[in-house]
Amino acid sequence: MSKKEIKTLVIVSVVPIIVIVLPLLVYYAVIFPHGIFIDRDMVKETYALDLTDDVKLVSYRDESFLCVIDCNLIVEVDDADSFLKNNIKADIEKNCQYDYKYSVGTTGTVYVRTEPYEDKFRVHLQYVD
């Protein structure tokens, strides 16, 4: 193969990767906040949680806009009542619209809803400020 053919082959194979893959990576990392990679330490601090090894982080969505905070976290646990009692480091109280709620910091509130999921439970935590 000549140098011209090799150069053409490289351009034909690399340019589509850059044109297609790079925008997708930017979309997933910046625009679409679905939380492929969930930072356990950030979640522990934001939601005032003690994340033990038996707590599986299912999803995290940050739908905050400007100064309005709206984050949603879903965790999967064996026993929802035990999780609420042992893993939340704040005073939790019953709520009418959701199952429970608790305060985080001075202005943040976390609304908690539990639901059975297969043989476990999913706990939905919505942090609003």
Side-chain angles (χ1 to χ4, degrees), residues 67-120:
C67 62
V68 177
I69 297 174
D70 184 10
C71 304
N72 297 296
L73 172 69
I74 301 174
V75 298
E76 189 173 285
V77 295
D78 293 328
D79 182 17
D81 294 329
S82 174
F83 173 78
L84 296 174
K85 181 179 177 185
N86 300 327
N87 294 69
I88 295 178
K89 297 188 258 181
D91 294 329
I92 192 165
E93 59 189 58
K94 285 271 193 193
N95 188 355
C96 296
Q97 186 177 4
Y98 295 87
D99 294 343
Y100 302 96
K101 74 174 185 175
Y102 63 94
S103 296
V104 177
T106 56
T107 60
T109 303
V110 177
Y111 296 98
V112 182
R113 182 175 49 86
T114 60
E115 68 179 1
Y117 180 77
E118 294 177 357
D119 62 335
K120 297 186 180 219

Side-chain angles (χ1 to χ4, degrees), residues 32-82:
F32 190 72
H34 54 62
I36 292 176
F37 305 106
I38 304 171
D39 184 3
R40 287 182 80 87
D41 293 330
M42 184 271 306
V43 167
K44 286 166 70 170
E45 185 178 317
T46 303
Y47 289 89
L49 294 176
D50 181 23
L51 293 177
T52 53
D53 292 337
D54 61 330
V55 177
K56 178 184 174 189
L57 300 177
V58 176
S59 72
Y60 174 75
R61 290 184 67 102
D62 187 354
E63 298 173 351
S64 302
F65 183 72
L66 297 176
C67 62
V68 177
I69 297 174
D70 184 10
C71 304
N72 297 296
L73 172 69
I74 301 174
V75 298
E76 189 173 285
V77 295
D78 293 328
D79 182 17
D81 294 329
S82 174

